[in-house]
Amino acid sequence: MTQPPQPPNEPPQGGFGKPQEPPAGGFGAPTEPPPGGFGAPTPPPEQPGYGYPQQPPGQPQYGYPQQGQPPQQPPGQPGYGHPQQPPTQPTGQPQYGYPQQGQPQYGYPQQPGYPQQPGQPYTQPGQPYVQPGQGGPGTPGGGKKISTQAQIIIAAVVAVVLIVGGGVYFASGDGDKDDQAKTSDSKDTQKDGEDGKSLGGGKEKPPANTKSKVAFQLPQPKVGDITDVSGSWITDKAYIKTGVNQIVAYEPDTGKQLWTIPLPGQVCAASRHATEDNKTAVVFAASKPTAKEKYVQCTEVGAIDLSLGKLLWTKSVTGGNAGDDKAAFREVTLSGTTVAVGGTDGGAAFDLGSGDNLWKPEIKADGCYDMGYGGGEGLVAARKCGSYDDPTVLVQNLKPSDGSPISEFKLPAGVEYVSIVSTKPLVVAADVGDTAGDGSSISDFFSIDEKTGKLRAKIPVDADKYAANCGATEVEQCSKLAVGNGKIYVPTEEHEGTGEDYGQTNEIVSFDLATGKATTDRADAGERYAMYPLRMDGSNIIAYKWPPYDKGGQIVSIDGGTFKETVLMENPGEESVREAETSFSLDGAEVRFANGRMYTSETLISEPSTAGDRKEYLVVAFTTN
């Protein structure tokens, strides 16, 4: 298959934030498109998994499958979420997904003293089991995540049709105040909680009534092409969301517009971080496309005051692969008062207060350039060197004021891209040798000493067992995970539960960043729910529970020491509300929670579908206030 056409005198555009080299026989080259063309709906599996809603026939969908639709059950089968008959097994044989006699539990090492019996589930205290071949919400066909090659194909097509080059999406909730540049929520200084004692908790407390109501729902704006709308933030007085050629603030409980910042072109990247005084940064195009243009490069970097609704400054630079032209950027982050941007032309940085250029794109003689940056409490560069056939990827902890490296870590051979999970403590994710195979871009986490660059621990995470996601196209876009208390918290893939209705469920577990070993932490989602970390709140983990067919979703706080769950929000279970809540893909949406309010929003929108009467939303908001 050939690459999409490229604009004259531009480097290859293969993704939203990471360079994509020509695929001719190379690593990760796109394969033949799926039947029906790019973006065609994924065919449903022959037998839908327990607990997964299926898409109605003939319902096209953009990029990712939509959820919350009535299931299509085979004749004679009960509806989604209703009790199912347990699978019939040969006499004396254990059920599928349970460990076999004499074998370790699937996904977890066998511990001495816990023998397994034929036909019985694994019962070791504190250890989950994971059924192979199951995926989480927001994944194609209710199964595994989109493959890396499929993401590259989609990214290549979108790079051509987007009016701007854009960042893709994130859903970690890092835009909330507790995760911003000058906080200490993710510091690797907490005790590990193995003694079962609370570690002090966080700011989010349960309200007197945890039952929420719909605050507001914003319909998707009508567009003619795929349009990037990534970027959302919460302040004490507003919910702010990127729209079409603008940034808009909404009253948090009613959705009434408070202010609008018009922009000359479309936003293509937005920082997930903001300062304590509510300043952040975005990247956008200098103009809208003309009739002769297919898209406009995003060359403008801007600082936004989220309290005042004001564009503070706009800057651009030349250099790197762009030569004398303006450099194009596909991602942006913030660390302290440093705004760092990256893309195929290289990396640059600006002072948040003045807009002064701190450094600009530079391609050295060895071909090294900064692909992008991770922000927050530190500033970390993902740097690529060498040839296309034999690349070397480096992680550099930088001094934010001038970009000079404090330390450097070299990723192992077989890594083409790296995702920055956390800057303090320094944790990165990579797909070594393209072995993940599920589109998550995670085969291993690497815990690194940010002062020396030495590896603390390598943490293998089998994609069939764990459901964290870092995508394939940006340096800082990981979701469904959190880092704190000296650990990384990840969800398991969904698997069959043990209740009478045989629905799907999963757990949140953790790994020690110092040793790389699994801990005894385990938080159960509960029957027919699936639970995913959003962010840290002090020493607590804020997590979202994806709902079953007859209930609303939940926000819970998990104590980092005891792992006790406290419900902070429970959304309505009415069908229309539930369908709105589950109309988003968790791998392609931004989920924000703070102060008793939850906001879920799209990051990419396209021309409205003409099939069916399914409503499409830009934002769905809930409140307990």
Side-chain angles (χ1 to χ4, degrees):
M1 187 186 79
T2 59
Q3 284 280 55
Q6 304 296 329
N9 302 319
E10 290 291 339
Q13 306 294 329
F16 293 109
K18 296 180 180 176
Q20 302 293 329
E21 291 82 356
F27 178 84
T31 57
E32 288 300 316
F38 298 112
T42 305
E46 294 182 4
Q47 182 74 19
Y50 293 103
Y52 283 99
Q54 304 299 322
Q55 190 70 18
Q59 177 99 357
Q61 44 190 313
Y62 161 65
Y64 292 92
Q66 300 297 325
Q67 297 194 5
Q69 303 301 323
Q72 303 299 314
Q73 294 287 350
Q77 294 295 325
Y80 167 66
H82 287 281
Q84 307 287 328
Q85 292 299 321
T88 302
Q89 296 290 336
T91 304
Q93 295 299 320
Q95 290 186 344
Y96 174 70
Y98 291 121
Q100 307 298 311
Q101 185 175 16
Q103 298 298 322
Q105 177 193 15
Y106 183 76
Y108 294 87
Q110 175 67 43
Q111 299 294 329
Y114 293 92
Q116 300 175 30
Q117 299 298 326
Q120 297 298 323
Y122 189 73
T123 57
Q124 179 176 340
Q127 295 293 336
Y129 69 91
V130 182
Q131 180 170 329
Q134 300 295 336
T139 58
K144 296 175 72 65
K145 307 175 197 67
I146 291 178
S147 69
T148 302
Q149 289 188 347
Q151 287 200 12
I152 293 173
I153 292 171
I154 294 171
V157 175
V158 174
V160 173
V161 299
L162 272 175
I163 61 172
V164 295
V168 188
Y169 42 77
F170 48 86
S172 70
D174 285 345
D176 298 338
K177 270 188 130 180
D178 290 337
D179 287 26
Q180 292 166 3
K182 296 181 180 179
T183 65
S184 59
D185 289 345
S186 62
K187 286 185 178 179
D188 191 15
T189 57
Q190 300 279 2
K191 59 187 293 187
D192 63 11
E194 295 295 334
D195 56 3
K197 296 181 180 179
S198 176
L199 299 181
K203 298 179 181 178
E204 303 290 353
K205 305 299 181 183
N209 184 1
T210 59
K211 301 288 186 181
S212 71
K213 63 180 181 180
V214 176
F216 58 88
Q217 298 172 342
L218 302 180
Q220 284 192 20
K222 294 183 179 180
V223 294
D225 280 316
I226 299 168
T227 303
D228 194 313
V229 288
S230 58
S232 58
W233 306 268
I234 298 176
T235 70
D236 291 338
K237 297 181 179 180
Y239 168 75
I240 301 98
K241 174 64 184 169
T242 297
V244 179
N245 303 319
Q246 63 182 355
I247 297 173
V248 184
Y250 301 92
E251 202 284 325
D253 291 321
T254 66
K256 178 183 177 181
Q257 289 194 19
L258 300 178
W259 51 256
T260 300
I261 301 175
L263 298 171
Q266 188 56 38
V267 171
C268 69
S271 173
R272 58 173 60 188
H273 307 287
T275 61
E276 290 181 344
D277 59 351
N278 296 322
K279 293 181 177 64
T280 191
V282 295
V283 170
F284 55 92
S287 63
K288 300 177 181 66
T290 65
K292 296 181 180 179
E293 294 174 317
K294 293 186 177 181
Y295 64 92
V296 177
Q297 294 277 14
C298 282
T299 58
E300 310 306 301
V301 182
I304 304 291
D305 189 317
L306 298 173
S307 296
L308 300 177
K310 183 179 180 181
L311 179 63
L312 300 176
W313 50 258
T314 301
K315 300 288 182 178
S316 61
V317 293
T318 61
N321 285 328
D324 294 331
D325 295 328
K326 285 185 177 181
F329 302 110
R330 303 290 183 84
E331 52 187 290
V332 58
T333 194
L334 179 66
S335 178
T337 59
T338 298
V339 177
V341 291
T344 56
D345 291 335
F350 304 85
D351 181 84
L352 178 65
S354 65
D356 292 343
N357 182 218
L358 302 179
W359 66 86
K360 61 189 299 184
E362 180 183 4
I363 305 296
K364 294 187 177 181
D366 58 5
C368 293
Y369 69 97
D370 289 352
M371 295 184 288
Y373 305 90
E377 292 188 43
L379 184 63
V380 176
R383 192 163 179 80
K384 197 170 193 177
C385 303
S387 66
Y388 168 73
D389 294 327
D390 187 24
T392 298
V393 175
L394 307 173
V395 171
Q396 293 181 331
N397 185 28
L398 304 181
K399 194 179 293 184
S401 58
D402 60 12
S404 60
I406 299 172
S407 65
E408 178 177 286
F409 174 76
K410 180 180 177 181
L411 274 297
V415 172
E416 287 203 336
Y417 301 110
V418 65
S419 298
I420 309 299
V421 178
S422 168
T423 55
K424 284 188 179 181
L426 180 51
V427 182
V428 304
D431 188 0
V432 181
D434 198 27
T435 56
D438 67 340
S440 67
S441 294
I442 309 171
S443 67
D444 301 270
F445 292 113
F446 297 84
S447 174
I448 304 165
D449 187 309
E450 61 260 26
K451 295 180 180 180
T452 65
K454 293 182 178 180
L455 180 67
R456 299 176 65 199
K458 178 183 176 183
I459 305 172
V461 278
D462 191 323
D464 287 334
K465 304 167 189 173
Y466 303 102
N469 187 26
C470 288
T473 55
E474 275 192 5
V475 169
E476 192 181 43
Q477 70 168 33
C478 295
S479 62
K480 298 181 179 177
L481 48 69
V483 173
N485 307 324
K487 305 173 186 179
I488 183 167
Y489 300 96
V490 298
T492 65
E493 290 283 6
E494 290 186 51
H495 57 80
E496 185 179 309
T498 58
E500 294 181 357
D501 53 12
Y502 293 93
Q504 295 290 110
T505 189
N506 78 332
E507 300 80 30
I508 291 176
V509 297
S510 72
F511 295 88
D512 189 285
L513 293 177
T515 65
K517 295 181 179 180
T519 74
T520 58
D521 292 339
R522 166 175 163 158
D524 296 306
E527 289 299 321
R528 300 187 296 127
Y529 285 94
M531 183 164 58
Y532 301 94
L534 295 179
R535 63 176 175 89
M536 297 301 298
D537 173 34
S539 60
N540 293 345
I541 305 102
I542 301 298
Y544 174 54
K545 286 189 176 183
W546 184 269
Y549 85 99
D550 56 349
K551 296 181 180 180
Q554 295 181 359
I555 296 291
V556 298
S557 176
I558 304 171
D559 187 285
T562 66
F563 246 55
K564 177 183 177 182
E565 299 175 33
T566 300
V567 176
L568 301 179
M569 172 181 283
E570 184 173 0
N571 295 333
E574 289 84 355
E575 181 178 3
S576 60
V577 177
R578 189 179 65 254
E579 287 182 353
E581 179 179 3
T582 58
S583 65
F584 301 87
S585 161
L586 289 188
D587 283 332
E590 296 167 344
V591 182
R592 301 285 185 262
F593 175 83
N595 306 319
R597 303 180 181 100
M598 170 186 168
Y599 306 90
T600 306
S601 66
E602 290 288 5
T603 53
L604 289 173
I605 59 176
S606 61
E607 187 175 2
S609 171
T610 58
D613 58 355
R614 178 174 57 87
K615 294 182 179 180
E616 297 176 318
Y617 299 93
L618 177 66
V619 179
V620 173
F622 297 92
T623 180
T624 57
N625 296 316

